[in-house]
DNA sequence: ACCCCATCTTTACACCGTCAAGACCGACGG
DNA sequence: CCGTCGGTCTTGACGGTGTAAAGATGGGGT
């Protein structure tokens, strides 16, 4: 029942809606992604999405989950390309910023607190968040030991680094900063 | 003509709308601030705002200008309370984060790129932005000289610090970080 | 073969931003 | 003192949105 794409029941509407919504998100900010437009692009009636996602928030949340997956994949890739701890941290940060620069609306959606409250996040996203924090902590810990320091500041430094990278990413995503200003700032930080 | 508050023509609708809008912004995110609700709270018809602000964006932009003013005032105050360069930087960052924590919607509005594009900002806000960058550069420069370093990294360090503080503020405003995690992270940075 | 029910459509409602036309009233010239 | 003028506000309308309820459709299990 879930295979054919032709036919009255469309076969795979959920995926089609997710794809249409993700495509729309590349063009417009999350607030302007309308359920009706997504349905229109998927070629179904405006009320069709309601059966698959409870409401507009449900659709946005599902799209956000997918974006979070993309984001995490990029983070993992970036971390894997470098072996030196300092370089790895910089690579992590640059991947973070690249995502925000190239897909600003997806980035905004991923961190929208109304769609996925940081306290009790959706069961779909919780493992992704955990994995991301784990990755960051690993890199910071490696960097600390490489500099001959104990792990006493690990948590403070992790949040500091997260804050720095997140802020640079947000500012770039908002157009407040040029992308070329990021690398020097990051390097100045891990100096 | 613009003084009396009684009478049919209301006297000072523009200010009343700004106040109603600002009050609404304390309760709800910018995206949910509706022109009609603001008009309702000001006790006028739903089309009344159009004569004073061109459209919804105009009202939000004006509210954002006011919020930016509040924000800058807090930054100035924070910088004035400390004399030691390192302490001043930390105070600046904490004021930044406090604003985002206490007035998250105002914070989001101030940095909304669709309402006030960072390239060619509104003539009302441009001086505020300039003053803010100046303040930050001053503090970073003082911190650099206090550590016996030349101003060669001033720009990179300024953006790095701005990014860190902005990121921490955004994460706190979104509820992703607890407010108590900020001070240790900041102190770890200026260490 | 039949019926069930998940899926999709239709219809309807309230709210929103925006625009055009009209009502109101203070101010200014005669 | 009176009239008209123009900025201010209201009314009404249009298209778009999210959401809910009710009706149509057709595939899959018994």
């Amino acid at each position: 029942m879930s295979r054919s794409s032709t036919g009255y029941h469309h076969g795979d509407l959920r995926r089609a809606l997710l794809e249409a919504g993700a495509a729309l998100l590349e063009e417009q900010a999350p607030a302007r992604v309308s359920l009706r437009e997504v349905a229109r692009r998927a070629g179904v009636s405006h009320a069709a999405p309601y059966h698959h996602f409870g409401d507009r928030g449900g659709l946005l949340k599902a799209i956000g989950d997918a974006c979070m997956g993309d984001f995490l994949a990029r983070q993992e890739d970036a971390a894997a390309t470098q072996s030196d701890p300092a370089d790895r941290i910089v690579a992590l940060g640059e991947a973070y910023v690249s995502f925000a620069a190239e897909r600003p609306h997806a980035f905004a959606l991923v961190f929208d607190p109304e769609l996925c409250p940081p306290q009790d996040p959706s069961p779909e996203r919780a493992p992704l968040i955990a994995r991301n924090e784990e990755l960051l902590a690993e890199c910071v810990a490696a960097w600390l030991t490489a500099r001959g320091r104990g792990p006493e500041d690990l948590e403070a430094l992790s949040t500091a680094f997260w804050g720095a990278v997140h802020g640079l990413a947000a500012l770039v995503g908002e157009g407040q900063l040029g992308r070329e200003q990021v690398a020097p700032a990051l390097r100045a930080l891990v100096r």
Side-chain angles (χ1 to χ4, degrees), chain A residues 67-85:
Chain A
C67 292
M68 178 77 185
D70 298 351
F71 177 73
L72 180 55
R74 283 235 225 163
Q75 292 281 96
E76 302 259 20
D77 286 356
T81 57
Q82 304 286 338
S83 58
D84 175 71

Side-chain angles (χ1 to χ4, degrees), chain A residues 30-31 56 60 106-118 125:
Chain A
R56 191 190 110 104
L60 270 293
F107 181 78
L109 184 58
V110 164
F111 287 97
D112 187 329
E114 314 215 357
L115 252 36
C116 186
R125 203 178 302 191

Side-chain angles (χ1 to χ4, degrees), chain A residues 60-136:
Chain A
L60 270 293
K61 204 171 78 51
I63 298 174
D65 288 345
C67 292
M68 178 77 185
D70 298 351
F71 177 73
L72 180 55
R74 283 235 225 163
Q75 292 281 96
E76 302 259 20
D77 286 356
T81 57
Q82 304 286 338
S83 58
D84 175 71
D87 290 346
R88 208 159 69 193
I89 285 205
V90 172
L92 213 56
E94 280 180 339
Y96 202 109
V97 173
S98 290
F99 188 87
E102 290 162 21
R103 302 176 59 189
H105 305 136
F107 181 78
L109 184 58
V110 164
F111 287 97
D112 187 329
E114 314 215 357
L115 252 36
C116 186
Q119 272 56 326
D120 63 33
S122 78
E124 265 232 3
R125 203 178 302 191
L128 302 182
I129 296 174
R131 175 68 193 120
N132 207 10
E133 288 177 359
E134 186 187 328
L135 187 60
L136 173 63

Side-chain angles (χ1 to χ4, degrees), chain A residues 21-37:
Chain A
L24 195 51
L25 185 69
E26 298 306 313
E27 307 166 17
Q28 293 181 335
R32 317 188 87 156
V33 170
S34 94
L35 214 52
R36 287 174 111 109
E37 176 65 20

Side-chain angles (χ1 to χ4, degrees), chain A residues 102-179:
Chain A
E102 290 162 21
R103 302 176 59 189
H105 305 136
F107 181 78
L109 184 58
V110 164
F111 287 97
D112 187 329
E114 314 215 357
L115 252 36
C116 186
Q119 272 56 326
D120 63 33
S122 78
E124 265 232 3
R125 203 178 302 191
L128 302 182
I129 296 174
R131 175 68 193 120
N132 207 10
E133 288 177 359
E134 186 187 328
L135 187 60
L136 173 63
E138 273 174 30
C139 289
V140 174
W143 181 71
L144 273 178
T145 61
R147 306 196 89 190
R149 291 211 266 151
E152 68 276 358
D153 282 340
L154 205 170
E155 193 173 331
L157 271 181
S158 287
T159 51
F161 181 72
W162 186 23
V165 169
H166 186 82
L168 292 170
L171 291 172
V172 168
E174 293 163 5
Q176 220 101 24
L177 236 54
R179 231 177 124 169

